[in-house]
Amino acid sequence: MRYLYLLGLGVALCGCSWLYDPSGLPSQANPDNLSVERVEPTLLLEGIGDDGGRPALLVIYGNDIASDATVTIEAKGGADPMLIVGTPRVDRLGRVLAVPVTSRVNPGLSGAETLVLDVAVRQPGSDGERVAHVDWSLQGFDELSAAPPNDGVAHIYSQVKLNGVTLPTTGGPVILRSNSSISIIGDVSVSALLQKGGPGGGDGGDMGEAGTGPGAGAVVAGLSGDGGGAGFAEPGGGGAVGGKPTGDQLITSYADNAGSGGGGAKLVSVTGATGGGGGGTLELTARGAVTIAGVAATGAAGGEAGTVKGGGGSGGVIVLRSGVMVSATSLDASGSRAAQANAGSNGRIRVDAPVIATTNEAPKAVRGAMFGPELAMVSDSEMLSFKLHGAEALTFNIHVLAASGALTQTASLADFQNDDVLDLTAKLKPGYNRICTTPVGSQVALVESTNCVEVAYLEPP
């Protein structure tokens, strides 16, 4: 939504008697006439800004907001919302105020609760304090400290802290997103187990049947008998042909990218062997740091029956994203390790973060685009300068959106030619802006491949 600024009339025309102090007030503000109308965004999420993540941005629209205005936020009903309110900044006309807000993780606030917040803007007037109120909402989230649900749906938590917890080994992809941080002590696995694919991965085929998944291994019956190895996103051939690691290296959509099972083997309807399952899918996304020892999403080898071998499963999908840092010892999305020509192909690994600390990667991770932590939350320039971290030879689009989600600037191109950090600019609209980066050809609505930050543009005095 665009917010249109109308130039106000001068003091002589408005009949005001208040004497303005240009060193302390926006040029058009009369502090006695303070009013507030609305806020953007309309919802604050519990945990944002905690554990070192980027705070939430609250933008308040109104009239006659003074540059020395302060903001307090309380929950209606007396509950402690556990917020840290930063220092406000006001635009030149006194019509827009922006302030960072940290929402601390609150174990007493569940994912089923929403607190109505009273936002109060306060400033000195000619004969005492002026106060204007507007409602805001705080959405609660659960904290995750035990095994997550096994339903293949993306789950958002205020915080994820796991110690020795086993992730689901079947079902759909495991997608954990945190408003603050993710800390997992120990290794986790979404690897295939024999014929059964990991969570979100395809199963290996039965004797004489193809595997499942977008790159399922085929079956060739006859004297050779071996099932084809699973390709990551392209079917492997039958017989002694392994799968091909094609697919989408930036994993723009989980619907099109998943580990796949190898084809089952069959020898003239007499004997056979099952194919190996494909590795599963694991996503860990946090506004704060992501810390984990190791992740395995490997494919399983096909079965054997004498000289007959089932096709191997492909590796799965590992996606780690953080607005601060990703730290991991080992990331393994290898295809089936069996020494056979029809082994499954490797899967995919994508890591997005300004700082990445990983030791072993198989295959090598692709680095997606992520905004740097130095990006200011408030800009006094219409043209915002910022750094984008990524990987050489990859291209991404930059989108600027309003709080409603409407596109306010046509997508521009971020081309990582020979560098992994780009200096870019984006044109902002007055007030609230959401800046997002997506792989070229993808869409902002595909959350698994999109990273965003909030920035307010306030016209300077």
Side-chain angles (χ1 to χ4, degrees):
M1 180 183 298
R2 297 187 177 185
Y3 192 83
L4 181 64
Y5 285 89
L6 301 177
L7 294 177
L9 298 176
V11 176
L13 296 180
C14 73
C16 302
S17 60
W18 180 257
L19 297 178
Y20 289 88
D21 177 3
S23 65
L25 294 174
S27 60
Q28 300 295 322
N30 179 346
D32 284 345
N33 294 335
L34 170 67
S35 66
V36 294
E37 300 170 354
R38 59 188 176 91
V39 299
E40 289 182 339
T42 58
L43 195 65
L44 172 64
L45 308 183
E46 179 202 345
I48 289 185
D50 208 351
D51 287 345
R54 185 180 176 88
L57 178 66
L58 172 62
V59 177
I60 302 172
Y61 298 87
N63 291 286
D64 294 296
I65 306 173
S67 59
D68 59 354
T70 60
V71 175
T72 59
I73 304 176
E74 298 179 349
K76 294 185 176 181
D80 182 4
M82 297 182 63
L83 306 180
I84 300 174
V85 182
T87 302
R89 290 180 57 182
V90 182
D91 78 320
R92 181 177 66 86
L93 298 178
R95 296 189 175 181
V96 185
L97 179 151
V99 60
V101 178
T102 295
S103 173
R104 290 174 292 172
V105 174
N106 184 352
L109 187 62
S110 76
E113 294 179 273
T114 300
L115 295 182
V116 178
L117 304 176
D118 173 59
V119 178
V121 179
R122 304 173 184 275
Q123 64 192 37
S126 60
D127 57 355
E129 185 180 62
R130 295 293 186 268
V131 184
H133 299 266
V134 65
D135 284 352
W136 200 21
S137 295
L138 171 62
Q139 175 62 58
F141 288 86
D142 294 326
E143 294 77 50
L144 180 66
S145 58
N150 185 15
D151 54 12
V153 177
H155 290 274
I156 302 176
Y157 300 93
S158 60
Q159 186 180 64
V160 174
K161 284 190 175 183
L162 301 178
N163 185 354
V165 174
T166 301
L167 297 182
T169 57
T170 59
V174 178
I175 303 174
L176 306 179
R177 296 170 181 161
S178 171
N179 295 330
S180 58
S181 62
I182 294 178
S183 175
I184 301 178
I185 297 176
D187 298 329
V188 298
S189 174
V190 289
S191 296
L193 182 61
L194 300 177
Q195 186 182 1
K196 187 66 177 177
D203 294 340
D206 289 330
M207 182 182 72
E209 296 182 3
T212 61
V219 172
V220 175
L223 295 179
S224 65
D226 292 351
F232 182 71
E234 178 177 302
V241 181
K244 297 180 180 179
T246 55
D248 173 9
Q249 63 178 343
L250 286 171
I251 314 172
T252 55
S253 168
Y254 294 140
D256 302 322
N257 294 275
S260 300
K266 183 178 181 181
L267 181 58
V268 197
S269 302
V270 175
T271 187
T274 60
T281 295
L282 174 66
E283 178 196 313
L284 302 177
T285 295
R287 292 176 69 102
V290 172
T291 306
I292 187 170
V295 180
T298 58
E304 297 187 21
T307 60
V308 180
K309 301 180 181 65
S314 77
V317 178
I318 301 173
V319 175
L320 306 179
R321 299 188 298 169
S322 166
V324 178
M325 179 183 73
V326 166
S327 176
T329 302
S330 174
L331 303 176
D332 190 357
S334 302
S336 60
R337 299 174 183 271
Q340 55 191 63
N342 61 344
S345 71
N346 287 334
R348 300 289 186 191
I349 303 174
R350 173 175 168 171
V351 181
D352 301 359
V355 178
I356 298 174
T358 58
T359 305
N360 300 300
E361 300 171 356
K364 182 175 176 58
V366 173
R367 187 169 185 170
M370 179 62 75
F371 299 93
E374 71 285 343
L375 178 60
M377 299 198 69
V378 179
S379 172
D380 59 5
S381 173
E382 182 183 42
M383 296 304 300
L384 175 70
S385 298
F386 62 95
K387 293 184 182 297
L388 191 68
H389 299 258
E392 294 182 17
L394 295 178
T395 55
F396 299 83
N397 283 131
I398 305 297
H399 313 266
V400 181
L401 297 89
S404 65
L407 187 68
T408 61
Q409 178 186 313
T410 303
S412 57
L413 188 67
D415 188 355
F416 290 90
Q417 295 182 355
N418 300 307
D419 204 348
D420 56 6
V421 180
L422 296 180
D423 291 308
L424 301 173
T425 59
K427 186 177 181 180
L428 305 178
K429 294 296 182 182
Y432 179 92
N433 296 265
R434 180 180 294 273
I435 308 172
C436 299
T437 174
T438 63
V440 171
S442 183
Q443 303 174 13
V444 176
L446 294 174
V447 179
E448 51 262 46
S449 62
T450 299
N451 295 312
C452 301
V453 291
E454 299 170 305
V455 177
Y457 166 44
L458 303 182
E459 194 174 357

